[in-house]
Amino acid sequence: MHFSIPDLQQFRDDNGLTYTGFNIHIDGFYHCTARFKQMLSLHEQLQSQYSYFKLPQFPPKKFFLTSSQLEERRILLEKYIQLIGQNPVLANSGILMTFLLTAQQESHNVKVHVVDIEISLMNGYRIPLSVSSTDTSSTVLDIACNYVNLPKDLTKYFSLFLFNWSCAKDGQPSFKKLEDFESPYISQKYVRPEDKIVLRKSYWDPCYDMDLVQDRVSIDLLYLQIIEDIDLGWITADSETKVMLSSLESKKQKREYIELARSLRHYGRIPAGEGLTEAVNIGDMGGALINVRVSLACKELSLTSVTHPSHEQRYKVTRMRCWRITTLHSLDHSHNGSLLEEPTKNFELSFEYLISKDNLIWVTLKTENAIFISVCLQSIVDELMRQKNGEGPISPRCKRASLTYLRRDGSSQLITPSSSSDTLSSINGDSCTSGSSREIFSVQKLTEKFASVAFKTGKDCVENNAFEAIGDEEL
């Protein structure tokens, strides 16, 4: 998980006292707002549960903070939660999962009640479901798969995503996988209301397609997704192949259609927008900075020149020793020299790449979609490591753990695994209710030149465990 805390908010409670909430983003999207003492409570419970671990240092307590001290606290909290997210044991702990789900519910002031939602298939067919407003992604996934009669042992090949068709048609990052620490209802309604919740396959390696074509329902889901990916231009085909695909589609020859589509060059490709990079073997540009289209597929990242589409450079994920995201914040000024309200942000994704035996170079890609690409890379690596260990796709379900959840108002409630879908029972309305304790009256903007989410040294990079599997035969 990629955590960040890009800004903070000031709240006023029922007694007229103000307090600060820190906006936590996960994988580039807003997830929840938490107070310092709430994150401290989480830290203490993680420390108690994992006493054999040395947890990252938590920022010190201070009272009556100035604006600059609040900014310093934001940076330290961001670094702390990033280090938690980089530790596989802590990042997947039941305590953290329960905290994130409960904090999301409190942040949006959502009561526990039955809601109607729609899950879309890739052909636009909509599945109407009645679920709890705080049901996790895995729970809603199980309900949706049961609705379409997908065998339970095949559910692990699919996930729910927030999907934006407009971005998909423009070649931009168009989806976000719904994780088990969030409620699909809350994430869609309050964070990305323009998106649809869709059911898609959740693996990268096309070899798993063979497990799906044996079942009537799963082959339909795979077939519909491939048709849509071709229509969106994610999978490219020449005119002759398109005629053959059209003929197979008209005859409802799904297995043959899938087999032909799987032979295409960009099968399984996910577009990730555009970026700038130095031309390394992308045409004969002599090391110039060029504009490229970025995409990811099974075991590789591809950069294609925008002006010369035939020039493409592919990077094997197994040759990336590590990667890092750098976020630079620069302040814009108006023509008269005064500071504008919003800072501009530039993102860079850099990875250390093995171009030949014992020869590593850094490749840097400047793109606003750096976090999305990083999340995809981590997903590919996770799948490669499961394959290395003889494992296949896994269910997205995360285990729950008991947590004493400290609310913003200072009260607490014990959340147990059996009650995690009925978390903050005292919350009595959805967001936009009139409770003064949740009234936002200001948002503090970033002013630092360089955000703490930037990793500068190799040891702070995201290490690629799959890199260890490289042998001389791959070089």
Side-chain angles (χ1 to χ4, degrees):
M1 288 186 287
H2 182 280
F3 284 97
S4 64
I5 303 179
D7 51 28
L8 50 88
Q9 299 181 34
Q10 297 294 338
F11 295 83
R12 182 180 290 112
D13 64 19
D14 293 329
N15 297 319
L17 300 176
T18 61
Y19 62 86
T20 302
F22 296 89
N23 295 328
I24 299 175
H25 289 228
I26 303 178
D27 295 340
F29 296 95
Y30 172 76
H31 181 76
C32 65
T33 300
R35 297 183 67 172
F36 176 86
K37 64 181 181 181
Q38 290 179 294
M39 297 182 70
L40 175 59
S41 175
L42 169 65
H43 170 74
E44 291 171 343
Q45 293 180 72
L46 285 172
Q47 201 165 43
S48 176
Q49 179 70 29
Y50 301 97
S51 56
Y52 51 90
F53 268 13
K54 183 178 180 181
L55 265 67
Q57 183 177 2
F58 196 80
K61 289 183 180 179
K62 292 181 181 179
F63 299 98
F64 308 110
L65 275 65
T66 63
S67 295
S68 61
Q69 290 173 325
L70 277 175
E71 177 62 11
E72 179 185 8
R73 172 172 284 184
R74 181 197 67 79
I75 293 173
L76 292 175
L77 285 173
E78 182 176 63
K79 186 63 176 177
Y80 168 81
I81 198 68
Q82 284 174 349
L83 292 174
I84 293 293
Q86 291 173 28
N87 185 305
V89 175
L90 299 177
N92 293 293
S93 69
I95 290 176
L96 180 62
M97 296 297 104
T98 303
F99 173 84
L100 292 175
L101 179 65
T102 311
Q104 184 190 46
Q105 181 190 352
E106 183 184 27
S107 297
H108 294 285
N109 195 20
V110 175
K111 66 180 179 179
V112 180
H113 62 295
V114 175
V115 295
D116 294 326
I117 65 172
E118 289 183 341
I119 309 298
S120 298
L121 302 184
M122 291 310 295
N123 65 343
Y125 177 80
R126 292 176 290 183
I127 303 171
L129 299 178
S130 291
V131 301
S132 169
S133 58
T134 57
D135 274 345
T136 63
S137 299
S138 62
T139 299
V140 178
L141 174 65
D142 287 344
I143 296 172
C145 289
N146 183 65
Y147 185 96
V148 297
N149 296 315
L150 181 71
K152 288 186 178 181
D153 62 322
L154 296 179
T155 301
K156 63 184 178 182
Y157 293 92
F158 295 89
S159 290
L160 297 178
F161 297 83
L162 289 175
F163 195 90
N164 188 301
W165 259 276
S166 177
C167 291
K169 293 174 182 177
D170 294 336
Q172 297 296 319
S174 54
F175 65 83
K176 173 197 178 300
K177 183 179 178 180
L178 287 163
E179 304 290 352
D180 212 30
F181 53 74
E182 61 186 317
S183 154
Y185 166 74
I186 296 176
S187 295
Q188 193 271 336
K189 181 174 181 179
Y190 298 111
V191 181
R192 297 182 62 165
E194 70 282 0
D195 292 0
K196 304 292 184 183
I197 303 175
V198 302
L199 180 65
R200 286 178 60 91
K201 67 177 185 180
S202 58
Y203 56 84
W204 292 91
D205 195 331
C207 73
Y208 295 123
D209 290 347
M210 297 299 98
D211 296 335
L212 301 185
V213 297
Q214 309 302 322
D215 175 75
R216 175 182 59 84
V217 176
S218 59
I219 192 175
D220 279 350
L221 294 174
L222 177 61
Y223 173 68
L224 293 175
Q225 179 172 328
I226 294 173
I227 290 176
E228 182 62 18
D229 287 357
I230 291 175
D231 288 344
L232 289 171
W234 293 9
I235 303 173
T236 55
D238 57 35
S239 56
E240 182 180 351
T241 304
K242 286 182 178 179
V243 171
M244 295 171 62
L245 288 169
S246 179
S247 175
L248 292 171
E249 182 180 356
S250 65
K251 298 174 183 177
K252 303 295 183 183
Q253 294 180 302
K254 301 173 186 178
R255 192 182 298 267
E256 292 78 7
Y257 185 99
I258 292 172
E259 184 177 347
L260 178 57
R262 280 165 44 86
S263 68
L264 298 177
R265 164 69 187 88
H266 291 124
Y267 181 78
R269 180 178 66 167
I270 301 296
E274 296 185 2
L276 290 172
T277 188
E278 284 191 5
V280 181
N281 298 326
I282 305 179
D284 299 318
M285 305 297 291
L289 198 65
I290 62 170
N291 194 19
V292 293
R293 292 190 177 93
V294 187
S295 62
L296 299 105
C298 176
K299 301 180 184 179
E300 69 178 30
L301 179 149
S302 298
L303 304 180
T304 305
S305 171
V306 172
T307 55
H308 300 83
S310 61
H311 296 161
E312 180 182 44
Q313 178 67 31
R314 287 177 282 169
Y315 297 95
K316 290 184 178 181
V317 173
T318 50
R319 291 195 191 181
M320 297 178 185
R321 191 187 71 82
C322 62
W323 67 86
R324 66 189 181 199
I325 296 175
T326 303
T327 310
L328 298 173
H329 298 269
S330 60
L331 296 177
D332 285 345
H333 292 77
S334 63
H335 295 297
N336 60 12
S338 61
L339 189 66
L340 295 179
E341 182 181 3
E342 292 280 1
T344 59
K345 293 187 287 185
N346 298 309
F347 296 88
E348 287 182 350
L349 178 106
S350 302
F351 55 90
E352 195 173 20
Y353 193 72
L354 187 66
I355 59 172
S356 60
K357 192 170 183 178
D358 300 324
N359 185 12
L360 288 158
I361 64 167
W362 278 98
V363 178
T364 298
L365 179 65
K366 187 175 181 180
T367 170
E368 62 182 9
N369 304 313
I371 295 176
F372 176 82
I373 298 169
S374 176
V375 171
C376 289
L377 288 174
Q378 187 61 61
S379 176
I380 294 172
V381 168
D382 290 343
E383 183 172 287
L384 288 170
M385 293 308 297
R386 287 195 299 270
Q387 291 176 337
K388 182 183 177 182
N389 295 328
E391 304 169 359
I394 59 173
S395 170
R397 187 179 303 278
C398 297
K399 63 180 180 180
R400 301 291 167 195
S402 295
L403 168 81
T404 300
Y405 184 76
L406 183 68
R407 295 185 181 92
R408 291 187 200 169
D409 62 9
S411 63
S412 61
Q413 178 178 339
L414 177 64
I415 308 296
T416 63
S418 60
S419 68
S420 60
S421 62
D422 185 23
T423 47
L424 298 180
S425 56
S426 64
I427 292 180
N428 56 12
D430 278 3
S431 60
C432 300
T433 55
S434 59
S436 60
S437 64
R438 297 172 180 85
E439 179 186 357
I440 301 172
F441 68 87
S442 69
V443 176
Q444 304 297 323
K445 301 297 180 182
L446 294 176
T447 57
E448 79 283 2
K449 294 282 186 180
F450 193 77
S452 62
V453 295
F455 298 130
K456 296 299 289 180
T457 62
K459 64 183 179 66
D460 289 326
C461 296
V462 179
E463 295 292 338
N464 179 5
N465 292 327
F467 181 81
E468 299 173 355
I470 293 179
D472 291 344
E473 69 277 3
E474 294 196 54
L475 300 175

